[in-house]
Amino acid sequence: MPPPADIVKVAIEWPGANAQLIEMDQKRPLASIIREVCDGWSLSGSEQFALRYADGPQLYITEQSRGDIKNGTILRLAISPARAARQLLERIQSHGIDARLEALKELAKLSADPTFAAEFINMEGIGTLARLVESGTHFGEMLAFTLTAFLELMDHGIVSWDMISLSFIKQIAGYVNQPMVDVSILQRSLAILESMVLNSHSLYHRVAQEITVGQLIGHLQHVIRGNRPIKAEMAHQLYVLQVLTFNLLEERMMTKMDPNDQAQRDIIFELRRIAFDGDTDPTGTEKRKAMYTKDYKMLGFTNHLNPAMDFTQTPPGMLALDNMLYLARVHQDTYIRIVLENSSREDKHECPFGRCAIELTRMLCEILQVGELPNEGCNDYHPMFFTHDRAWEEFFCVCIQLLNKTWKEMRATAEDFNKVMQVVREQITRALAMKPSSIDQLKNKLRGLSYSEILRLRQSERMSQDDFQSPPIIELRERIQPEILELIKQQRLNRLCEGSCFRKLGNRRRQEKFWFCRLSLNHKVLHYGDLEESPQGEVPFELLSDKIPVSDIKSVLTGKDCPHMKEKSALKQNKEVLELAFSVLYDPDETLNFVAPNKYEYCIWTDGLCALLGREMGSDLTRSDLDTLISMEMKLRLLDLENITIPEAPPPVPKEPSSYNFTYNYS
């Protein structure tokens, strides 16, 4: 006969003693059970003790959490949370360095426990930790454990972040701004500053005063250049930072030049002076004006008499002039070479520097979407823009040299201006797609994308495209597609039958909890249940206690539409979690909420669930698999037709013969 539902069989350990195997009655008060356990080991003062899990995060067991205890769980008798908090509070203030280090190490571990945290906070423990940080006397491991404990305690939400002092913020910011700070201290300091910014509007402004984006760029460069792959959330944040940084250029991009502003006109004079420094100005006004007009023509401006008028169109506005001045001042030799090289040509093949620089600036603003808002689901950042203090200007300088080189390779004239700009746009976009990690790498990529190479690539792509655009090929593709979609559907359902492990949504710094879900082999039931740890391999159906009939499923929701993404606690969830979230809605008005471990599993499960409901599989993975499999299948079927021209229309049906006397008589 099975035991009653309120009875769970557990083992309870105590150092130096044999474990007690007891049947815990969940209806009895926890204090009564602890008293009985203490009596079994002849321990007095049972009110000074508590029960904790022996494995995993080793959390304290309370009346509220005892329902999670399962049969076979190993527990441990430990000192009560209040007693542990009091002892640790005394030890972290002791004079012995070794004793203090051990206490802080233990505190960092225990602070994740909400029961212990509440007791420690009630004893003004957070204030004590803050004073230890503010004193500036802790370094290395000791400081790392102190910051970890502080962050874990604050994450419970018991104390408001607004109580943080300015001196504490300055101290934490100081660790971030140190050039050679320990990685563990840097990570915890950044996490604390992030929590301040997310949880307090007033602290946001204080942190902004102490930490600037420029000070964080060095750390970002370390992340980008590191050997570890960039995760989706970090990639998105880098993309957002890139967009917002480029958007700082929008004001100059949309500012027209005032032809009457002498300061702005002086910039054009300086461009002329740097290019033609050896020329002396004639004395007469008319002669000087004629010489300026000649020089401005040699500089490649469209309006020779008043080049300021060239900068009145927005975009690119004054941003083009800023770029030209940067090139002239910082890369003076390159600037002079480009100007003089083209101004001395008499064969109508000169490249007009001024006009090219203005149009190039406008083009770069379009390519990098200057002035556009960040796209929520985009991770398309360019590492090279985080490796130089003046990355935008250096990018322009590389591209203007590319334009000059391509102009010469195309032997272009003024009539070919737009054609050259189209080729240069293609060269730049192809190079950026390769994600060069530095400006120097960009130069190397562009060297390999000469005009002749662009022509070759265009020809190759055009031939490939033409092969698959003829009517017979399109018809073949349409016939193959249903077979391939059915193949993809079966693969998705087979993966759902194998099942997947999902993590429960919670604090990202806490130890993770897991649950498993899989589809029954007859595709009629979803089985799911909690796990102690991430499984290795398939989980049997017998271990999954809960189930949902597929016939009860009404719909599948994703992203922001999911109930667990709309909850208050989910408002601060990062975009990576948002992109991996989906929910199953089933009768009667219940939901099963998922957060996939990665994008691949997200696509597999959303596709599989849609297939179960008879709906279209619309994930990126399905589109990619469909394209790949159809392409492979078509190439296999067309293998015998290689180098044979496929006609646009089928051959005509011949006329019927006048008689059928040619047929063979089998009789």
Side-chain angles (χ1 to χ4, degrees), residues 109 349 420 439 458 615 617 629:
K109 185 178 179 181
H349 290 288
V420 175
I439 297 294
R458 284 179 176 179
R615 296 173 187 170
M617 299 180 293
L629 292 172

Side-chain angles (χ1 to χ4, degrees), residues 224 230 234-236 238-239 242 379-383 386 435:
I224 292 169
I230 303 293
M234 173 58 85
H236 177 73
L238 288 169
Y239 157 76
Q242 173 184 288
N379 299 337
D380 187 23
Y381 76 97
H382 298 285
F386 297 93
K435 301 294 181 187

Side-chain angles (χ1 to χ4, degrees), residues 582-605:
F582 61 98
S583 298
V584 171
L585 270 66
Y586 61 98
D587 291 329
D589 298 325
E590 298 288 336
T591 61
L592 181 63
N593 299 319
F594 298 73
V595 175
N598 51 55
K599 192 69 176 177
Y600 176 79
E601 288 292 331
Y602 170 85
C603 293
I604 289 288
W605 274 83

